[in-house]
Amino acid sequence: IFPILNNLGDVVSFGGRVLAANPEFAKYRNGSQTFIFDKSRNIYAVNLLKKKKQTSGLSYIIMTEGYMDVISLHKAGFDMAVASMGTSLTATQAKLLKNYCERIYISYDGDGAGQKATLRGLDILSEAGLNVKVVQLPEGLDPDDVIKKQGAQGYQKLLDEAVTLPAFKIETLKNSY
């Protein structure tokens, strides 16, 4: 179970993640929508982005899908990672990110669902006027897996090789034929 904090550092909900893969359960589960928590208006770890921007500045943000991705990236030294708490990135979240930095790396899971979410998210981020690149993860891996298997250097290599929005779309179309 993970507390979900808003940009002021107030706990607004809780979320959870299953520890072992189970096809009967969703990988992540957020608290119910309430007056103070709307998943489409919040970003996991946005409070840490605010703190980093105030102390040392931000040159970019890494957008992931889930809590464990953010925690693993932060532990590995990538303290500009946040999560959309699932694959439903919204225009409101994109505008919130723009308050902190205009350079975004989207690092969603390397599976089919993650790639579809990446395509949707890229358009939303781009329409918000953000400079977006895609971190292409190996098939079936998420950022947490990459950190566990390849360490910070392995993830940094993927970050360095991130591709632009048009290049990712062309590659995705090419792979579908």
Side-chain angles (χ1 to χ4, degrees):
I1 301 289
F2 304 94
I4 300 171
L5 287 72
N6 64 13
N7 62 332
L8 302 174
D10 300 324
V11 176
V12 294
S13 188
F14 291 91
R17 183 188 191 280
V18 295
L19 297 176
N22 185 335
E24 295 180 28
F25 298 104
K27 189 175 182 179
Y28 293 98
R29 178 81 175 161
N30 297 308
S32 300
Q33 185 162 312
T34 66
F35 179 73
I36 61 170
F37 176 68
D38 180 347
K39 183 172 105 168
S40 68
R41 296 182 175 278
N42 286 277
I43 296 173
Y44 183 72
V46 71
N47 60 310
L48 300 177
L49 271 188
K50 181 179 180 180
K51 191 180 296 183
K52 178 158 176 70
K53 182 177 180 179
Q54 291 171 341
T55 58
S56 60
L58 283 167
S59 56
Y60 61 91
I61 296 170
I62 301 171
M63 173 60 76
T64 68
E65 288 183 65
Y67 318 115
M68 292 308 297
D69 298 327
V70 171
I71 292 167
S72 288
L73 287 169
H74 276 254
K75 283 176 57 178
F78 300 95
D79 59 351
M80 66 296 292
V82 295
S84 57
M85 296 182 286
T87 58
S88 58
L89 185 66
T90 66
T92 302
Q93 289 171 319
K95 288 177 188 170
L96 180 59
L97 288 173
K98 192 170 182 174
N99 291 329
Y100 296 97
C101 186
E102 292 193 7
R103 194 167 145 210
I104 309 290
Y105 287 87
I106 194 163
S107 187
Y108 282 175
D109 297 2
D111 60 12
Q115 296 308 298
K116 285 179 185 174
T118 297
L119 285 170
R120 283 191 310 270
L122 284 169
D123 289 334
I124 290 168
L125 293 168
S126 181
E127 287 170 11
L130 295 161
N131 177 1
V132 187
K133 285 194 170 185
V134 179
V135 178
Q136 295 182 290
L137 301 176
E139 177 69 32
L141 297 183
D142 62 20
D144 179 39
D145 296 327
V146 172
I147 294 294
K148 287 176 182 171
K149 293 179 181 189
Q150 301 174 13
Q153 299 82 6
Y155 188 81
Q156 182 63 55
K157 185 176 186 298
L158 294 173
L159 201 60
D160 293 340
E161 296 169 351
V163 298
T164 62
L165 170 67
F168 181 76
K169 285 185 171 185
I170 289 169
E171 185 68 25
T172 302
L173 284 171
K174 184 178 93 174
N175 290 337
S176 68
Y177 292 100

mmCIF file of all heavy atoms in Angstrom, residues 90-106:
data_model
loop_
_atom_site.group_PDB
_atom_site.id
_atom_site.type_symbol
_atom_site.label_atom_id
_atom_site.label_comp_id
_atom_site.label_asym_id
_atom_site.label_seq_id
_atom_site.Cartn_x
_atom_site.Cartn_y
_atom_site.Cartn_z
ATOM 1 N N THR A 90 -3.911 11.988 -18.617
ATOM 2 C CA THR A 90 -4.939 12.943 -19.036
ATOM 3 C C THR A 90 -4.322 14.294 -19.392
ATOM 4 O O THR A 90 -3.187 14.591 -19.022
ATOM 5 C CB THR A 90 -5.969 13.167 -17.911
ATOM 6 O OG1 THR A 90 -5.318 13.810 -16.814
ATOM 7 C CG2 THR A 90 -6.608 11.862 -17.471
ATOM 8 N N ALA A 91 -5.098 15.133 -20.064
ATOM 9 C CA ALA A 91 -4.659 16.485 -20.399
ATOM 10 C C ALA A 91 -4.411 17.299 -19.134
ATOM 11 O O ALA A 91 -3.487 18.116 -19.084
ATOM 12 C CB ALA A 91 -5.698 17.166 -21.285
ATOM 13 N N THR A 92 -5.193 17.069 -18.100
ATOM 14 C CA THR A 92 -5.003 17.768 -16.828
ATOM 15 C C THR A 92 -3.654 17.405 -16.223
ATOM 16 O O THR A 92 -2.935 18.272 -15.716
ATOM 17 C CB THR A 92 -6.141 17.426 -15.844
ATOM 18 O OG1 THR A 92 -7.390 17.783 -16.444
ATOM 19 C CG2 THR A 92 -5.984 18.148 -14.531
ATOM 20 N N GLN A 93 -3.292 16.119 -16.271
ATOM 21 C CA GLN A 93 -1.987 15.699 -15.758
ATOM 22 C C GLN A 93 -0.861 16.309 -16.591
ATOM 23 O O GLN A 93 0.164 16.718 -16.043
ATOM 24 C CB GLN A 93 -1.883 14.174 -15.763
ATOM 25 C CG GLN A 93 -2.764 13.514 -14.719
ATOM 26 C CD GLN A 93 -2.824 12.010 -14.889
ATOM 27 O OE1 GLN A 93 -2.907 11.497 -16.004
ATOM 28 N NE2 GLN A 93 -2.790 11.299 -13.776
ATOM 29 N N ALA A 94 -1.043 16.371 -17.894
ATOM 30 C CA ALA A 94 -0.025 16.968 -18.768
ATOM 31 C C ALA A 94 0.191 18.433 -18.409
ATOM 32 O O ALA A 94 1.337 18.900 -18.340
ATOM 33 C CB ALA A 94 -0.430 16.814 -20.229
ATOM 34 N N LYS A 95 -0.882 19.160 -18.162
ATOM 35 C CA LYS A 95 -0.764 20.573 -17.771
ATOM 36 C C LYS A 95 -0.060 20.708 -16.424
ATOM 37 O O LYS A 95 0.732 21.628 -16.219
ATOM 38 C CB LYS A 95 -2.145 21.225 -17.716
ATOM 39 C CG LYS A 95 -2.760 21.444 -19.080
ATOM 40 C CD LYS A 95 -4.161 22.015 -18.962
ATOM 41 C CE LYS A 95 -4.831 22.032 -20.323
ATOM 42 N NZ LYS A 95 -6.253 22.354 -20.233
ATOM 43 N N LEU A 96 -0.345 19.781 -15.521
ATOM 44 C CA LEU A 96 0.319 19.788 -14.220
ATOM 45 C C LEU A 96 1.823 19.575 -14.386
ATOM 46 O O LEU A 96 2.633 20.277 -13.779
ATOM 47 C CB LEU A 96 -0.289 18.706 -13.319
ATOM 48 C CG LEU A 96 0.273 18.559 -11.909
ATOM 49 C CD1 LEU A 96 0.121 19.860 -11.118
ATOM 50 C CD2 LEU A 96 -0.425 17.419 -11.183
ATOM 51 N N LEU A 97 2.207 18.635 -15.243
ATOM 52 C CA LEU A 97 3.625 18.385 -15.498
ATOM 53 C C LEU A 97 4.315 19.610 -16.093
ATOM 54 O O LEU A 97 5.462 19.905 -15.764
ATOM 55 C CB LEU A 97 3.798 17.194 -16.444
ATOM 56 C CG LEU A 97 3.494 15.820 -15.871
ATOM 57 C CD1 LEU A 97 3.543 14.771 -16.972
ATOM 58 C CD2 LEU A 97 4.448 15.476 -14.743
ATOM 59 N N LYS A 98 3.612 20.307 -16.956
ATOM 60 C CA LYS A 98 4.186 21.476 -17.620
ATOM 61 C C LYS A 98 4.561 22.564 -16.613
ATOM 62 O O LYS A 98 5.459 23.368 -16.861
ATOM 63 C CB LYS A 98 3.228 22.023 -18.676
ATOM 64 C CG LYS A 98 3.873 23.045 -19.581
ATOM 65 C CD LYS A 98 3.001 23.393 -20.752
ATOM 66 C CE LYS A 98 3.741 24.394 -21.629
ATOM 67 N NZ LYS A 98 3.037 24.686 -22.840
ATOM 68 N N ASN A 99 3.915 22.576 -15.462
ATOM 69 C CA ASN A 99 4.271 23.536 -14.408
ATOM 70 C C ASN A 99 5.673 23.283 -13.862
ATOM 71 O O ASN A 99 6.276 24.180 -13.281
ATOM 72 C CB ASN A 99 3.276 23.466 -13.245
ATOM 73 C CG ASN A 99 1.908 23.976 -13.614
ATOM 74 O OD1 ASN A 99 1.766 24.862 -14.449
ATOM 75 N ND2 ASN A 99 0.890 23.413 -12.994
ATOM 76 N N TYR A 100 6.163 22.070 -14.019
ATOM 77 C CA TYR A 100 7.452 21.696 -13.438
ATOM 78 C C TYR A 100 8.588 21.645 -14.453
ATOM 79 O O TYR A 100 9.722 21.988 -14.151
ATOM 80 C CB TYR A 100 7.331 20.348 -12.722
ATOM 81 C CG TYR A 100 6.379 20.438 -11.559
ATOM 82 C CD1 TYR A 100 5.048 20.042 -11.685
ATOM 83 C CD2 TYR A 100 6.790 20.965 -10.345
ATOM 84 C CE1 TYR A 100 4.163 20.162 -10.629
ATOM 85 C CE2 TYR A 100 5.909 21.084 -9.279
ATOM 86 C CZ TYR A 100 4.599 20.678 -9.428
ATOM 87 O OH TYR A 100 3.721 20.810 -8.384
ATOM 88 N N CYS A 101 8.279 21.198 -15.664
ATOM 89 C CA CYS A 101 9.325 21.034 -16.677
ATOM 90 C C CYS A 101 8.661 20.752 -18.019
ATOM 91 O O CYS A 101 7.595 20.144 -18.071
ATOM 92 C CB CYS A 101 10.232 19.873 -16.279
ATOM 93 S SG CYS A 101 11.673 19.646 -17.310
ATOM 94 N N GLU A 102 9.306 21.172 -19.101
ATOM 95 C CA GLU A 102 8.711 20.951 -20.425
ATOM 96 C C GLU A 102 9.304 19.751 -21.159
ATOM 97 O O GLU A 102 8.826 19.400 -22.234
ATOM 98 C CB GLU A 102 8.853 22.221 -21.269
ATOM 99 C CG GLU A 102 7.991 23.341 -20.727
ATOM 100 C CD GLU A 102 7.853 24.507 -21.674
ATOM 101 O OE1 GLU A 102 8.322 24.423 -22.826
ATOM 102 O OE2 GLU A 102 7.261 25.514 -21.254
ATOM 103 N N ARG A 103 10.314 19.131 -20.589
ATOM 104 C CA ARG A 103 10.964 17.974 -21.235
ATOM 105 C C ARG A 103 10.555 16.704 -20.491
ATOM 106 O O ARG A 103 10.883 16.532 -19.322
ATOM 107 C CB ARG A 103 12.472 18.169 -21.187
ATOM 108 C CG ARG A 103 13.217 17.257 -22.080
ATOM 109 C CD ARG A 103 14.653 17.746 -22.205
ATOM 110 N NE ARG A 103 15.515 16.595 -22.301
ATOM 111 C CZ ARG A 103 16.743 16.546 -21.878
ATOM 112 N NH1 ARG A 103 17.297 17.584 -21.299
ATOM 113 N NH2 ARG A 103 17.453 15.458 -22.010
ATOM 114 N N ILE A 104 9.817 15.837 -21.180
ATOM 115 C CA ILE A 104 9.258 14.632 -20.573
ATOM 116 C C ILE A 104 9.745 13.387 -21.306
ATOM 117 O O ILE A 104 9.735 13.336 -22.541
ATOM 118 C CB ILE A 104 7.707 14.636 -20.643
ATOM 119 C CG1 ILE A 104 7.119 15.937 -20.118
ATOM 120 C CG2 ILE A 104 7.127 13.411 -19.948
ATOM 121 C CD1 ILE A 104 7.229 16.162 -18.650
ATOM 122 N N TYR A 105 10.155 12.388 -20.529
ATOM 123 C CA TYR A 105 10.449 11.064 -21.066
ATOM 124 C C TYR A 105 9.329 10.152 -20.597
ATOM 125 O O TYR A 105 9.109 10.008 -19.396
ATOM 126 C CB TYR A 105 11.778 10.525 -20.538
ATOM 127 C CG TYR A 105 12.985 11.206 -21.120
ATOM 128 C CD1 TYR A 105 13.503 12.368 -20.559
ATOM 129 C CD2 TYR A 105 13.624 10.677 -22.239
ATOM 130 C CE1 TYR A 105 14.606 13.000 -21.096
ATOM 131 C CE2 TYR A 105 14.740 11.305 -22.783
ATOM 132 C CZ TYR A 105 15.218 12.462 -22.203
ATOM 133 O OH TYR A 105 16.317 13.081 -22.733
ATOM 134 N N ILE A 106 8.622 9.549 -21.544
ATOM 135 C CA ILE A 106 7.566 8.614 -21.173
ATOM 136 C C ILE A 106 8.187 7.216 -21.166
ATOM 137 O O ILE A 106 8.822 6.803 -22.122
ATOM 138 C CB ILE A 106 6.328 8.746 -22.094
ATOM 139 C CG1 ILE A 106 5.135 8.028 -21.501
ATOM 140 C CG2 ILE A 106 6.616 8.312 -23.498
ATOM 141 C CD1 ILE A 106 3.802 8.424 -22.112
#
